[in-house]
Amino acid sequence: MHVLLTGASSFIGRHAVFALSRAGVRVTATYRSHSPAIQHLREALPGTDFVRLDLACQDEFVALPPKIDCIVHVAGASVAPDDILACNVTGAGNLLRYARNARASRVVLASTLSVHGDIEEDVVTEVTPVRAPDLYGASKYFVERLFAAEFHWLPCVAIRLPGVLGEGAHRAWIPTLLERIKKNKDVVIYGSDSTFNNAAHVSDLCGLLQNLLQNQWSGFHAFPVGARGEITIADLVRVLISGTGSRSKMEEGAALKKSFTISSRYAEENFGYDPMNIDVMLSRYMSETG
């Protein structure tokens, strides 16, 4: 099997390249800019091909293999509006065109919970409505719908991701919170008694990814994933403070948004997703961050 993976220099992309290559999958991995992460991957995975590619530039796709079996689309932009439109929207159109020309048999998209926008439900599932997402969420939803329209010849799974944990994780709520706690800074929490499982570990995602590439399936599927079990926000913060020996203190703030948890049932029953319990995930993440 020959897999094209976009976004190899990203946090999830780096782990996915390692997992697939170490599992014996032939991988061609793309990245937009040179970085130490790409140099490390080149040295660690000499059998993996790395191609510099700007997804928004259709002419650069000539550097990719003329035939590919599967595509794992991890690349994406989430901050600058111009980058979001170029990478997420224009890039997805170019990637779909390449998939047709390269006769790909399936595609896996790294999507986001942000596609749902304003979440009013207590539990997010595969049928939770989309309500006024921001630009980033809307761009990812566009990508989902673009590929969904072609499911008859290109089966597609879109994994709607929460904050993802693992070595090298950044920007999501828990990594940001843990960094603050390590510096012994006080933290403000909102909805301290609200339950939480809104995280996924990158190793569990890589396991799901290998299932999706190894097994047969058809159609279009979009679903969320999260941790197994639940923990209150207050207890989560206590776990991080205790686990790091921090002197941080908690302060209660007024909740700004409705809290919710995530059901991974669809991913578990249909694609063998086997997530860690949230307590185990937090402990592992703390050990991975040193």
Side-chain angles (χ1 to χ4, degrees):
M1 177 184 295
H2 191 177
V3 173
L4 176 74
L5 184 142
T6 68
S9 63
S10 68
F11 161 58
I12 296 175
R14 295 195 302 270
H15 283 270
V17 170
F18 263 107
L20 294 179
S21 297
R22 295 278 171 84
V25 176
R26 181 185 175 191
V27 178
T28 294
T30 76
Y31 62 96
R32 187 166 65 172
S33 302
H34 290 296
S35 68
I38 291 297
Q39 183 59 35
H40 174 69
L41 287 171
R42 287 185 186 277
E43 295 171 356
L45 303 170
T48 299
D49 295 324
F50 292 89
V51 178
R52 188 172 183 177
L53 174 73
D54 183 348
L55 288 169
C57 185
Q58 184 179 346
D59 292 344
E60 294 187 12
F61 279 73
V62 298
L64 297 182
K67 174 69 176 72
I68 207 77
D69 296 311
C70 304
I71 295 174
V72 177
H73 184 34
V74 177
S78 61
V79 180
D82 287 348
D83 285 344
I84 289 174
L85 294 175
C87 181
N88 299 2
V89 177
T90 303
N94 290 337
L95 187 64
L96 180 58
R97 189 176 297 107
Y98 167 76
R100 182 182 292 277
N101 293 335
R103 303 183 300 282
S105 64
R106 70 185 74 177
V107 62
V108 179
L109 306 175
S111 190
T112 172
L113 281 181
S114 296
V115 302
H116 293 292
D118 297 327
I119 295 173
E120 300 175 0
E121 291 72 20
D122 293 328
V123 181
V124 175
T125 73
E126 70 281 0
V127 298
T128 297
V130 173
R131 301 185 185 92
D134 61 13
L135 178 60
Y136 171 62
S139 72
K140 285 293 194 176
Y141 189 59
F142 170 84
V143 176
E144 289 187 12
R145 302 320 302 165
L146 184 69
F147 281 86
E150 308 298 330
F151 79 90
H152 55 284
W153 67 270
L154 185 64
C156 177
V157 155
I159 308 172
R160 292 175 174 171
L161 297 170
V164 181
L165 304 181
E167 185 179 357
H170 60 97
R171 288 175 50 187
W173 177 59
I174 291 177
T176 303
L177 175 64
L178 181 59
E179 189 62 27
R180 185 173 182 84
I181 287 172
K182 283 183 171 182
K183 294 177 180 178
N184 297 308
K185 295 182 178 180
D186 293 344
V187 296
V188 179
I189 60 175
Y190 306 94
S192 59
D193 293 330
S194 300
T195 53
F196 179 93
N197 73 337
N198 307 7
H201 195 277
V202 70
S203 65
D204 291 339
L205 292 180
C206 288
L208 173 58
L209 179 57
Q210 291 183 58
N211 288 346
L212 289 167
L213 295 178
Q214 293 169 357
N215 299 322
Q216 295 298 316
W217 43 273
S218 60
F220 174 79
H221 309 263
F223 51 81
V225 295
R228 183 169 282 128
E230 297 176 356
I231 190 172
T232 67
I233 296 294
D235 284 344
L236 183 152
V237 175
R238 291 188 188 102
V239 166
L240 297 183
I241 291 175
S242 174
T244 57
S246 173
R247 297 188 300 276
S248 297
K249 294 181 175 59
M250 288 188 291
E251 300 176 12
E252 179 78 29
L256 303 177
K257 293 183 178 181
K258 175 181 172 56
S259 64
F260 60 86
T261 56
I262 299 169
S263 170
S264 302
R265 179 195 59 81
Y266 192 92
E268 293 175 14
E269 293 181 357
N270 293 283
F271 300 107
Y273 180 56
D274 186 19
M276 298 178 200
N277 186 278
I278 185 64
D279 295 328
V280 174
M281 191 179 297
L282 291 173
S283 295
R284 175 163 171 175
Y285 179 55
M286 283 189 287
S287 70
E288 291 167 331
T289 62

